[in-house]
Amino acid sequence: MKSNVLKKRLSLWAMLLSLAIAGAAYATSNGVDLSVSPEVSGTAEGQVRMPKEQDRMALNYVNQPPMIPHSVDGYQVTKNTNRCLQCHGVQSYRATNSPRISPTHFMDSDGKVLGEVAPRRYFCLQCHVPQADAAPIVGNSFTPAPGFGQ
């Protein structure tokens, strides 16, 4: 029994490795330089200096998760604690003058309203990212939706 499980796992890893190699070969053959490092400012290569606090940036499209206008260095978000909710939680947002967490964050995947933040919305940094005025790592031609991004 263990032998079959081991064979399946090895097959899966071999397939994933093959896909990664094929993807890199395809990108390289189509002129994509995989060794490009971003041009960023900061103290160490590859790190962007995050401002402690700044104005909120405009959204670029409907339902875009707002970006975080402050540093999150040292913030702890684990299954037992969420530093973001100390300021943005339902009981604390008024005292800290912070935006309140959206009511949608209290709904489970079936639309049922919960008494606390839904597990799928608990890890804030999976959708909300710190904003930085940094050069894009990969160039793109994205333009904000009409009426957005101003």
Side-chain angles (χ1 to χ4, degrees):
M1 185 71 172
K2 282 187 177 182
S3 153
N4 287 339
V5 171
L6 183 59
K7 285 180 185 178
K8 286 181 182 179
R9 285 186 182 170
L10 287 174
S11 295
L12 178 63
W13 280 108
M15 183 177 64
L16 291 173
L17 181 61
S18 298
L19 285 172
I21 291 170
Y26 176 80
T28 305
S29 68
N30 287 303
V32 177
D33 183 2
L34 298 177
S35 65
V36 174
S37 62
E39 292 181 22
V40 295
S41 61
T43 55
E45 186 177 334
Q47 290 185 340
V48 174
R49 184 175 291 278
M50 297 299 300
K52 290 202 181 276
E53 191 76 32
Q54 57 186 325
D55 291 334
R56 293 188 344 183
M57 294 175 81
L59 301 179
N60 290 309
Y61 53 90
V62 177
N63 294 326
Q64 174 187 348
M67 290 186 280
I68 303 169
H70 57 79
S71 175
V72 293
D73 287 347
Y75 274 40
Q76 187 175 22
V77 180
T78 67
K79 66 177 187 156
N80 296 321
T81 185
N82 183 329
R83 169 68 171 81
C84 302
L85 296 177
Q86 289 180 3
C87 294
H88 299 282
V90 176
Q91 281 82 28
S92 57
Y93 78 96
R94 285 190 183 110
T96 60
N97 198 26
S98 301
R100 181 180 56 86
I101 187 172
S102 169
T104 61
H105 288 52
F106 292 87
M107 291 198 261
D108 67 9
S109 57
D110 297 324
K112 179 182 171 194
V113 177
L114 307 173
E116 55 190 33
V117 177
R120 67 188 187 125
R121 298 290 187 103
Y122 183 79
F123 295 97
C124 308
L125 298 176
Q126 69 186 1
C127 296
H128 302 278
V129 296
Q131 61 192 25
D133 190 17
I137 295 172
V138 177
N140 68 69
S141 59
F142 175 82
T143 56
F148 287 86
Q150 285 112 27

